[in-house]
Amino acid sequence: MPAAPRTLEATGLSPDMVQQLVLKTLHAAGELTGNELASRLGVLFAVIQPVLDGLRRDRACEMFGGGTGPHSNTYRLTDVGRSKASACMAHSSYVGRLPVPVSQYRRHLEQASRAGASEVTRASMREAFSRLVLTDRMLDQLGPGISARHSLFIYGPSGNGKTAIASTVVKLFGGDIAVPYALAADTEIIGLYDPLSHQAVEA
């Protein structure tokens, strides 16, 4: 699994994008402790603390009492903060975990591909696809594409087994594939995680 970022810089995201997500999350929740906010954004509190400090300096956010430190104190937006959050929502309605920059995710996939490289043989292909009825010619066509570990385009009419083939390819490699909740491409956020297709695992 990729290492979790421990600083704002390590996320690879612009402080402005993180600030927008902090604003929108607080706007939706009303008020949250530092740890609750960090949990909703999927990072350690240390990652978002500089952003919260900046919002407090700009009088867009206030922190109040009772906790044992900034992580356990409660944060809520001021009128200025709510106005900023509304403007952020007009640009993008995404609220959720911090996205992963496309460049970071690409590097992770390349590293994971090299680290977990295992030879795809005709025998392993037959075993993985044993529950499907496929001709030797079809296995011979799939084999090189899977071995190359590049994109594979499977097409055909509805009901001809495309999804079953794609699902079976995972068996050839084993283990889990890390999928971010969302990707950041420049200033845009693209939601990726789908609870119907993906299953969250403990790192």
Side-chain angles (χ1 to χ4, degrees), residues 1 15 20 25 40 51-52 80 86 89 105 109 116 149 170 200:
M1 289 294 178
Q20 289 180 32
T25 303
R40 291 195 185 198
V51 171
L52 287 168
V80 172
S86 296
M89 287 296 289
Y105 188 51
L109 290 178
R149 293 173 181 265
V170 178

Side-chain angles (χ1 to χ4, degrees), residues 68-140:
T68 57
H71 64 282
S72 57
N73 286 337
T74 301
Y75 296 84
R76 68 182 172 202
L77 298 180
T78 63
D79 289 341
V80 172
R82 283 189 285 274
S83 177
K84 285 177 175 282
S86 296
C88 294
M89 287 296 289
H91 171 70
S92 168
S93 60
Y94 176 84
V95 180
R97 307 291 180 97
L98 292 187
V100 174
V102 171
S103 58
Q104 274 193 13
Y105 188 51
R106 182 171 183 169
R107 281 197 304 273
H108 162 70
L109 290 178
E110 289 170 351
Q111 292 167 359
S113 179
R114 290 193 298 270
S118 57
E119 186 180 0
V120 177
T121 64
R122 184 182 289 269
S124 64
M125 287 281 292
R126 285 187 187 283
E127 182 179 349
F129 288 95
S130 60
R131 68 184 184 89
L132 302 178
V133 180
L134 298 176
T135 64
D136 287 343
R137 181 172 178 274
M138 175 63 75
L139 291 176
D140 288 342

